[in-house]
Amino acid sequence: MKNIVKKYANTPLILRILIGLIIGVILGIWVPQASFVAILGDIFVGALKAIAPVLVFILVISSLASAGTGIGKRFSTVIVFYMLSTFFAAVCAVFASYLFPVVIPLTDAVEKAAPTGLGEVFRTLLTNMVANPVASLMNANYVGILTWAVVLGLAVRNYASDETKLVLKDLSNAVSKVVGWVIQLAPFGIMGLVFTFVDEYGVEIFTTYGKLLLVLVGCMLLVAFVVDPLIVAISLRRNPYPLVFKCFKESGVTAFFTRSSAANIPVNMKLCEKLGLDKEYYSVAIPLGATINMDGAAITITVMSLAAAFSQGIQVNIFLAIILSFVATLGACGASGVAGGSLLLIPMACSLLGVPQDVAMQMVGVGFIIGVVQDSLETAINSSGDVIFAATAEYREWMKEGKEVKF
């Protein structure tokens, strides 16, 4: 048994995930009665979601408590990358919507409350920032976790003893080790998630509302493989695709099937470690990216709101569409503070275009129908982008210092 476990651990993780994916597809198509396989996916996602809040809280406190100089500059750089990428994603969605306008029948409204404007979005965001830290850990409120971890980390750095800082460092190493154990179970988790995906939805989901789904997927792939790599190439002045493909292979795949940026934080931190990034830096940059780096959400908000306008015969001029891009960018950054995420921000954007609220909420209903694909790909590009830009910001500083950068 020990030899089997050792051989399993020594096999490349991506190969094990690929094998698990293939087995999951086969079981979903030909052995749909093997419902026990789905439990593996639930356990894997549950374990990631359970350890992620603790990981973020402990690592951020520990990292800030012992942070060296020069960290702040990297933070400012990565925030610019996150926001720039999200805005460009919204702009791409605008042009794609004009090139391939989508008109769909809207019939069934959904009964869910949605934010009425950016004020409500940011009110919720600010409220979550000052939520009880224990409640934030219990409810996986990452805005609150990140806020209190930063505050406590700075307090420990300035007022705690070296022994306390050492205890925090040991604790963060222990939590990181637990995360490593959980990630080793990824092939079984992916197998269970893929089985559930195929068993419940089959291939029909790709034909329902097909054109709208194609525009969304096309925009996300364009941003992921053209726009984001271009930002990296201009910043580092070298071929960005080795870094991009590595991040998609090791972060995007798991994010696609877990459909949770929060659950993928441990995976991203492990990848940052493999890329040789500074733990003090990425332990804060990655949770921050999971909050404000929202390319996929900006695309979803923009495409869906313009489709709603076109379906109502509303003419949207390019100036108003660019304003929509700013609104989608700011709204996407606040999406993590709103129940329902990016879909429930569609009515907010629709109000800018003059789309009635009931029609906008019907569009939200369409979003839930195609969400199994849209949300999966949205999470994949959001989560892998967190690592791409965190690495780019650090590599940029390395190059200024004359250090060698290898992807």
Side-chain angles (χ1 to χ4, degrees):
M1 180 60 70
K2 188 180 292 186
N3 290 335
I4 293 174
V5 171
K6 186 176 180 180
K7 189 172 183 180
Y8 171 84
N10 290 335
T11 304
L13 180 61
I14 191 63
L15 177 60
R16 284 180 275 151
I17 289 176
L18 181 61
I19 294 171
L21 191 154
I22 293 171
I23 294 174
V25 171
I26 293 172
L27 292 176
I29 294 174
W30 284 294
V31 196
Q33 64 272 22
S35 57
F36 64 90
V37 177
I39 298 174
L40 297 175
D42 295 337
I43 293 173
F44 176 63
V45 174
L48 282 175
K49 286 185 175 180
I51 194 63
V54 179
L55 174 72
V56 171
F57 193 65
I58 296 297
L59 281 188
V60 171
I61 293 175
S62 176
S63 297
L64 291 178
S66 57
T69 58
I71 297 291
K73 193 169 185 180
R74 277 175 278 175
F75 283 142
S76 60
T77 302
V78 79
I79 289 172
V80 170
F81 285 149
Y82 286 157
M83 298 300 293
L84 196 63
S85 173
T86 303
F87 175 70
F88 284 158
V91 171
C92 287
V94 166
F95 284 105
S97 295
Y98 274 94
L99 289 173
F100 308 100
V102 177
V103 177
I104 60 176
L106 299 173
T107 54
D108 299 323
V110 294
E111 299 296 329
K112 287 204 175 185
T116 56
L118 282 176
E120 185 176 343
V121 171
F122 285 104
R123 188 182 303 112
T124 305
L125 190 64
L126 292 172
T127 301
N128 284 343
M129 287 178 66
V130 295
N132 183 288
V134 176
S136 296
L137 283 167
M138 292 174 62
N139 299 322
N141 167 22
Y142 284 90
V143 176
I145 291 170
L146 197 57
T147 301
W148 287 113
V150 168
V151 172
L152 288 171
L154 293 174
V156 170
R157 177 174 182 170
N158 293 318
Y159 301 107
S161 65
D162 291 338
E163 289 78 8
T164 300
K165 295 176 184 178
L166 185 59
V167 169
L168 285 170
K169 186 174 182 180
D170 290 341
L171 190 57
S172 72
N173 290 336
V175 174
S176 299
K177 189 64 177 178
V178 172
V179 168
W181 293 340
V182 173
I183 291 175
Q184 288 298 318
L185 301 175
F188 298 100
I190 295 297
M191 180 176 68
L193 291 168
V194 172
F195 171 84
T196 303
F197 182 93
V198 175
D199 183 46
E200 289 187 11
Y201 301 103
V203 296
E204 290 80 6
I205 191 64
F206 295 99
T207 57
T208 307
Y209 299 109
K211 188 176 180 181
L212 178 62
L213 193 57
L214 282 175
V215 173
L216 284 167
V217 170
C219 287
M220 291 182 188
L221 293 179
L222 176 67
V223 169
F225 294 109
V226 178
V227 176
D228 287 354
L230 187 60
I231 294 174
V232 176
I234 293 173
S235 301
L236 301 181
R237 297 183 180 179
R238 60 185 301 172
N239 179 12
Y241 286 101
L243 175 63
V244 171
F245 289 142
K246 186 178 183 69
C247 291
F248 263 86
K249 183 175 70 173
E250 301 197 23
S251 172
V253 170
T254 55
F256 183 91
F257 290 107
T258 61
R259 295 172 65 184
S260 171
S261 295
N264 218 49
I265 287 175
V267 177
N268 281 351
M269 288 194 176
K270 201 71 178 175
L271 177 55
C272 286
E273 182 182 347
K274 292 176 67 174
L275 291 172
L277 305 188
D278 184 352
K279 188 175 181 179
E280 295 176 354
Y281 159 70
Y282 72 69
S283 61
V284 180
I286 292 301
L288 182 65
T291 304
I292 68 171
N293 182 41
M294 293 289 174
D295 294 11
I299 290 170
T300 297
I301 294 168
T302 304
V303 169
M304 300 288 275
S305 58
L306 284 174
F310 295 154
S311 298
Q312 291 292 298
I314 298 173
Q315 298 297 319
V316 181
N317 61 55
I318 192 67
F319 177 73
L320 184 58
I322 295 300
I323 294 177
L324 174 64
S325 299
F326 283 103
V327 171
T329 300
L330 296 175
C333 292
S336 60
V338 179
S342 59
L343 290 179
L344 287 182
L345 293 175
I346 293 170
M348 177 198 70
C350 284
S351 65
L352 178 69
L353 307 179
V355 176
Q357 184 76 1
D358 60 334
V359 174
M361 289 308 294
Q362 291 177 45
M363 202 58 164
V364 175
V366 173
F368 281 114
I369 293 172
I370 64 174
V372 65
V373 176
Q374 168 265 327
D375 190 42
S376 295
L377 190 57
E378 177 181 311
T379 307
I381 72 167
N382 286 347
S383 192
S384 58
D386 295 346
V387 183
I388 290 170
F389 292 120
T392 301
E394 176 142 353
Y395 291 155
R396 183 182 173 89
E397 294 303 312
W398 287 10
M399 293 175 73
K400 288 180 180 179
E401 296 169 2
K403 296 181 181 178
E404 185 180 2
V405 174
K406 287 185 179 181
F407 296 155

PDB file of all heavy atoms in Angstrom, residues 34-47 185 188-196:
ATOM      1  N   ALA A  34     -24.094   4.868 -11.056  1.00  0.00           N
ATOM      2  CA  ALA A  34     -23.005   4.883 -10.066  1.00  0.00           C
ATOM      3  C   ALA A  34     -22.975   6.233  -9.349  1.00  0.00           C
ATOM      4  O   ALA A  34     -21.966   6.950  -9.365  1.00  0.00           O
ATOM      5  CB  ALA A  34     -21.671   4.586 -10.753  1.00  0.00           C
ATOM      6  N   SER A  35     -24.075   6.577  -8.719  1.00  0.00           N
ATOM      7  CA  SER A  35     -24.213   7.897  -8.098  1.00  0.00           C
ATOM      8  C   SER A  35     -23.253   8.128  -6.942  1.00  0.00           C
ATOM      9  O   SER A  35     -22.991   9.268  -6.563  1.00  0.00           O
ATOM     10  CB  SER A  35     -25.652   8.092  -7.615  1.00  0.00           C
ATOM     11  OG  SER A  35     -26.010   7.058  -6.725  1.00  0.00           O
ATOM     12  N   PHE A  36     -22.716   7.052  -6.371  1.00  0.00           N
ATOM     13  CA  PHE A  36     -21.773   7.205  -5.259  1.00  0.00           C
ATOM     14  C   PHE A  36     -20.520   7.958  -5.679  1.00  0.00           C
ATOM     15  O   PHE A  36     -19.826   8.547  -4.842  1.00  0.00           O
ATOM     16  CB  PHE A  36     -21.392   5.818  -4.708  1.00  0.00           C
ATOM     17  CG  PHE A  36     -20.661   4.945  -5.686  1.00  0.00           C
ATOM     18  CD1 PHE A  36     -19.269   4.974  -5.768  1.00  0.00           C
ATOM     19  CD2 PHE A  36     -21.354   4.096  -6.540  1.00  0.00           C
ATOM     20  CE1 PHE A  36     -18.586   4.183  -6.670  1.00  0.00           C
ATOM     21  CE2 PHE A  36     -20.672   3.295  -7.437  1.00  0.00           C
ATOM     22  CZ  PHE A  36     -19.279   3.329  -7.520  1.00  0.00           C
ATOM     23  N   VAL A  37     -20.224   7.949  -6.998  1.00  0.00           N
ATOM     24  CA  VAL A  37     -19.033   8.652  -7.495  1.00  0.00           C
ATOM     25  C   VAL A  37     -19.158  10.151  -7.250  1.00  0.00           C
ATOM     26  O   VAL A  37     -18.165  10.841  -6.992  1.00  0.00           O
ATOM     27  CB  VAL A  37     -18.825   8.363  -8.999  1.00  0.00           C
ATOM     28  CG1 VAL A  37     -17.631   9.144  -9.541  1.00  0.00           C
ATOM     29  CG2 VAL A  37     -18.628   6.874  -9.229  1.00  0.00           C
ATOM     30  N   ALA A  38     -20.394  10.668  -7.322  1.00  0.00           N
ATOM     31  CA  ALA A  38     -20.612  12.102  -7.122  1.00  0.00           C
ATOM     32  C   ALA A  38     -20.173  12.556  -5.737  1.00  0.00           C
ATOM     33  O   ALA A  38     -19.801  13.722  -5.543  1.00  0.00           O
ATOM     34  CB  ALA A  38     -22.082  12.442  -7.346  1.00  0.00           C
ATOM     35  N   ILE A  39     -20.217  11.639  -4.769  1.00  0.00           N
ATOM     36  CA  ILE A  39     -19.825  11.985  -3.399  1.00  0.00           C
ATOM     37  C   ILE A  39     -18.364  12.427  -3.342  1.00  0.00           C
ATOM     38  O   ILE A  39     -17.998  13.300  -2.555  1.00  0.00           O
ATOM     39  CB  ILE A  39     -20.048  10.775  -2.460  1.00  0.00           C
ATOM     40  CG1 ILE A  39     -21.539  10.416  -2.431  1.00  0.00           C
ATOM     41  CG2 ILE A  39     -19.551  11.078  -1.052  1.00  0.00           C
ATOM     42  CD1 ILE A  39     -21.843   9.159  -1.646  1.00  0.00           C
ATOM     43  N   LEU A  40     -17.532  11.844  -4.201  1.00  0.00           N
ATOM     44  CA  LEU A  40     -16.111  12.209  -4.232  1.00  0.00           C
ATOM     45  C   LEU A  40     -15.943  13.690  -4.567  1.00  0.00           C
ATOM     46  O   LEU A  40     -15.100  14.382  -3.989  1.00  0.00           O
ATOM     47  CB  LEU A  40     -15.364  11.341  -5.237  1.00  0.00           C
ATOM     48  CG  LEU A  40     -15.335   9.836  -4.958  1.00  0.00           C
ATOM     49  CD1 LEU A  40     -14.663   9.092  -6.110  1.00  0.00           C
ATOM     50  CD2 LEU A  40     -14.614   9.550  -3.648  1.00  0.00           C
ATOM     51  N   GLY A  41     -16.754  14.166  -5.518  1.00  0.00           N
ATOM     52  CA  GLY A  41     -16.687  15.580  -5.884  1.00  0.00           C
ATOM     53  C   GLY A  41     -17.146  16.473  -4.745  1.00  0.00           C
ATOM     54  O   GLY A  41     -16.529  17.505  -4.470  1.00  0.00           O
ATOM     55  N   ASP A  42     -18.223  16.060  -4.078  1.00  0.00           N
ATOM     56  CA  ASP A  42     -18.730  16.847  -2.944  1.00  0.00           C
ATOM     57  C   ASP A  42     -17.697  16.928  -1.823  1.00  0.00           C
ATOM     58  O   ASP A  42     -17.513  17.983  -1.211  1.00  0.00           O
ATOM     59  CB  ASP A  42     -20.022  16.226  -2.412  1.00  0.00           C
ATOM     60  CG  ASP A  42     -21.156  16.287  -3.429  1.00  0.00           C
ATOM     61  OD1 ASP A  42     -21.094  17.155  -4.323  1.00  0.00           O
ATOM     62  OD2 ASP A  42     -22.094  15.474  -3.325  1.00  0.00           O
ATOM     63  N   ILE A  43     -17.027  15.804  -1.556  1.00  0.00           N
ATOM     64  CA  ILE A  43     -16.014  15.778  -0.495  1.00  0.00           C
ATOM     65  C   ILE A  43     -14.834  16.683  -0.838  1.00  0.00           C
ATOM     66  O   ILE A  43     -14.349  17.451   0.006  1.00  0.00           O
ATOM     67  CB  ILE A  43     -15.528  14.329  -0.254  1.00  0.00           C
ATOM     68  CG1 ILE A  43     -16.665  13.484   0.345  1.00  0.00           C
ATOM     69  CG2 ILE A  43     -14.307  14.311   0.661  1.00  0.00           C
ATOM     70  CD1 ILE A  43     -16.334  12.013   0.457  1.00  0.00           C
ATOM     71  N   PHE A  44     -14.401  16.613  -2.081  1.00  0.00           N
ATOM     72  CA  PHE A  44     -13.244  17.418  -2.509  1.00  0.00           C
ATOM     73  C   PHE A  44     -13.541  18.913  -2.410  1.00  0.00           C
ATOM     74  O   PHE A  44     -12.775  19.684  -1.821  1.00  0.00           O
ATOM     75  CB  PHE A  44     -12.863  17.046  -3.941  1.00  0.00           C
ATOM     76  CG  PHE A  44     -11.739  17.876  -4.509  1.00  0.00           C
ATOM     77  CD1 PHE A  44     -10.474  17.846  -3.943  1.00  0.00           C
ATOM     78  CD2 PHE A  44     -11.949  18.689  -5.612  1.00  0.00           C
ATOM     79  CE1 PHE A  44      -9.439  18.606  -4.465  1.00  0.00           C
ATOM     80  CE2 PHE A  44     -10.926  19.453  -6.144  1.00  0.00           C
ATOM     81  CZ  PHE A  44      -9.662  19.416  -5.568  1.00  0.00           C
ATOM     82  N   VAL A  45     -14.682  19.334  -2.985  1.00  0.00           N
ATOM     83  CA  VAL A  45     -15.048  20.753  -2.943  1.00  0.00           C
ATOM     84  C   VAL A  45     -15.295  21.194  -1.504  1.00  0.00           C
ATOM     85  O   VAL A  45     -14.877  22.279  -1.085  1.00  0.00           O
ATOM     86  CB  VAL A  45     -16.302  21.019  -3.807  1.00  0.00           C
ATOM     87  CG1 VAL A  45     -16.758  22.465  -3.652  1.00  0.00           C
ATOM     88  CG2 VAL A  45     -16.007  20.731  -5.273  1.00  0.00           C
ATOM     89  N   GLY A  46     -15.940  20.316  -0.718  1.00  0.00           N
ATOM     90  CA  GLY A  46     -16.192  20.644   0.684  1.00  0.00           C
ATOM     91  C   GLY A  46     -14.912  20.836   1.464  1.00  0.00           C
ATOM     92  O   GLY A  46     -14.796  21.758   2.282  1.00  0.00           O
ATOM     93  N   ALA A  47     -13.924  19.964   1.201  1.00  0.00           N
ATOM     94  CA  ALA A  47     -12.640  20.082   1.903  1.00  0.00           C
ATOM     95  C   ALA A  47     -11.916  21.372   1.526  1.00  0.00           C
ATOM     96  O   ALA A  47     -11.348  22.064   2.382  1.00  0.00           O
ATOM     97  CB  ALA A  47     -11.761  18.873   1.584  1.00  0.00           C
ATOM     98  N   LEU A 185      -5.879  14.884  -3.501  1.00  0.00           N
ATOM     99  CA  LEU A 185      -7.130  14.168  -3.759  1.00  0.00           C
ATOM    100  C   LEU A 185      -7.882  14.735  -4.966  1.00  0.00           C
ATOM    101  O   LEU A 185      -8.978  14.248  -5.281  1.00  0.00           O
ATOM    102  CB  LEU A 185      -8.033  14.225  -2.522  1.00  0.00           C
ATOM    103  CG  LEU A 185      -7.461  13.632  -1.231  1.00  0.00           C
ATOM    104  CD1 LEU A 185      -8.431  13.869  -0.076  1.00  0.00           C
ATOM    105  CD2 LEU A 185      -7.174  12.146  -1.392  1.00  0.00           C
ATOM    106  N   PHE A 188      -9.617  12.420  -7.741  1.00  0.00           N
ATOM    107  CA  PHE A 188     -10.870  11.771  -7.343  1.00  0.00           C
ATOM    108  C   PHE A 188     -12.011  12.794  -7.300  1.00  0.00           C
ATOM    109  O   PHE A 188     -13.146  12.490  -7.683  1.00  0.00           O
ATOM    110  CB  PHE A 188     -10.703  11.107  -5.973  1.00  0.00           C
ATOM    111  CG  PHE A 188      -9.661  10.027  -5.951  1.00  0.00           C
ATOM    112  CD1 PHE A 188      -8.392  10.274  -5.447  1.00  0.00           C
ATOM    113  CD2 PHE A 188      -9.933   8.765  -6.455  1.00  0.00           C
ATOM    114  CE1 PHE A 188      -7.422   9.289  -5.424  1.00  0.00           C
ATOM    115  CE2 PHE A 188      -8.974   7.774  -6.436  1.00  0.00           C
ATOM    116  CZ  PHE A 188      -7.710   8.027  -5.923  1.00  0.00           C
ATOM    117  N   GLY A 189     -11.703  14.002  -6.814  1.00  0.00           N
ATOM    118  CA  GLY A 189     -12.712  15.047  -6.765  1.00  0.00           C
ATOM    119  C   GLY A 189     -13.184  15.447  -8.148  1.00  0.00           C
ATOM    120  O   GLY A 189     -14.390  15.588  -8.394  1.00  0.00           O
ATOM    121  N   ILE A 190     -12.235  15.635  -9.077  1.00  0.00           N
ATOM    122  CA  ILE A 190     -12.583  15.994 -10.455  1.00  0.00           C
ATOM    123  C   ILE A 190     -13.409  14.886 -11.100  1.00  0.00           C
ATOM    124  O   ILE A 190     -14.373  15.150 -11.820  1.00  0.00           O
ATOM    125  CB  ILE A 190     -11.316  16.259 -11.283  1.00  0.00           C
ATOM    126  CG1 ILE A 190     -10.579  17.497 -10.752  1.00  0.00           C
ATOM    127  CG2 ILE A 190     -11.653  16.434 -12.758  1.00  0.00           C
ATOM    128  CD1 ILE A 190     -11.348  18.782 -10.855  1.00  0.00           C
ATOM    129  N   MET A 191     -13.075  13.643 -10.831  1.00  0.00           N
ATOM    130  CA  MET A 191     -13.838  12.510 -11.366  1.00  0.00           C
ATOM    131  C   MET A 191     -15.297  12.599 -10.910  1.00  0.00           C
ATOM    132  O   MET A 191     -16.223  12.437 -11.708  1.00  0.00           O
ATOM    133  CB  MET A 191     -13.222  11.186 -10.914  1.00  0.00           C
ATOM    134  CG  MET A 191     -13.951   9.953 -11.434  1.00  0.00           C
ATOM    135  SD  MET A 191     -13.124   8.414 -10.973  1.00  0.00           S
ATOM    136  CE  MET A 191     -13.386   8.415  -9.186  1.00  0.00           C
ATOM    137  N   GLY A 192     -15.512  12.864  -9.617  1.00  0.00           N
ATOM    138  CA  GLY A 192     -16.867  12.976  -9.097  1.00  0.00           C
ATOM    139  C   GLY A 192     -17.617  14.167  -9.660  1.00  0.00           C
ATOM    140  O   GLY A 192     -18.803  14.070 -10.001  1.00  0.00           O
ATOM    141  N   LEU A 193     -16.927  15.312  -9.809  1.00  0.00           N
ATOM    142  CA  LEU A 193     -17.573  16.509 -10.334  1.00  0.00           C
ATOM    143  C   LEU A 193     -17.957  16.345 -11.796  1.00  0.00           C
ATOM    144  O   LEU A 193     -19.046  16.749 -12.219  1.00  0.00           O
ATOM    145  CB  LEU A 193     -16.636  17.716 -10.173  1.00  0.00           C
ATOM    146  CG  LEU A 193     -16.389  18.180  -8.731  1.00  0.00           C
ATOM    147  CD1 LEU A 193     -15.241  19.173  -8.684  1.00  0.00           C
ATOM    148  CD2 LEU A 193     -17.653  18.786  -8.132  1.00  0.00           C
ATOM    149  N   VAL A 194     -17.072  15.744 -12.587  1.00  0.00           N
ATOM    150  CA  VAL A 194     -17.356  15.521 -14.004  1.00  0.00           C
ATOM    151  C   VAL A 194     -18.504  14.530 -14.164  1.00  0.00           C
ATOM    152  O   VAL A 194     -19.375  14.696 -15.025  1.00  0.00           O
ATOM    153  CB  VAL A 194     -16.102  15.016 -14.743  1.00  0.00           C
ATOM    154  CG1 VAL A 194     -16.439  14.599 -16.165  1.00  0.00           C
ATOM    155  CG2 VAL A 194     -15.040  16.102 -14.762  1.00  0.00           C
ATOM    156  N   PHE A 195     -18.524  13.488 -13.333  1.00  0.00           N
ATOM    157  CA  PHE A 195     -19.616  12.512 -13.375  1.00  0.00           C
ATOM    158  C   PHE A 195     -20.957  13.218 -13.145  1.00  0.00           C
ATOM    159  O   PHE A 195     -21.926  13.002 -13.882  1.00  0.00           O
ATOM    160  CB  PHE A 195     -19.413  11.437 -12.308  1.00  0.00           C
ATOM    161  CG  PHE A 195     -20.595  10.524 -12.130  1.00  0.00           C
ATOM    162  CD1 PHE A 195     -20.770   9.431 -12.959  1.00  0.00           C
ATOM    163  CD2 PHE A 195     -21.534  10.769 -11.135  1.00  0.00           C
ATOM    164  CE1 PHE A 195     -21.873   8.594 -12.811  1.00  0.00           C
ATOM    165  CE2 PHE A 195     -22.631   9.943 -10.971  1.00  0.00           C
ATOM    166  CZ  PHE A 195     -22.800   8.857 -11.813  1.00  0.00           C
ATOM    167  N   THR A 196     -21.016  14.095 -12.137  1.00  0.00           N
ATOM    168  CA  THR A 196     -22.247  14.829 -11.841  1.00  0.00           C
ATOM    169  C   THR A 196     -22.642  15.730 -12.998  1.00  0.00           C
ATOM    170  O   THR A 196     -23.816  15.791 -13.393  1.00  0.00           O
ATOM    171  CB  THR A 196     -22.058  15.682 -10.564  1.00  0.00           C
ATOM    172  OG1 THR A 196     -21.686  14.832  -9.481  1.00  0.00           O
ATOM    173  CG2 THR A 196     -23.333  16.427 -10.213  1.00  0.00           C
TER     174      THR A 196
END
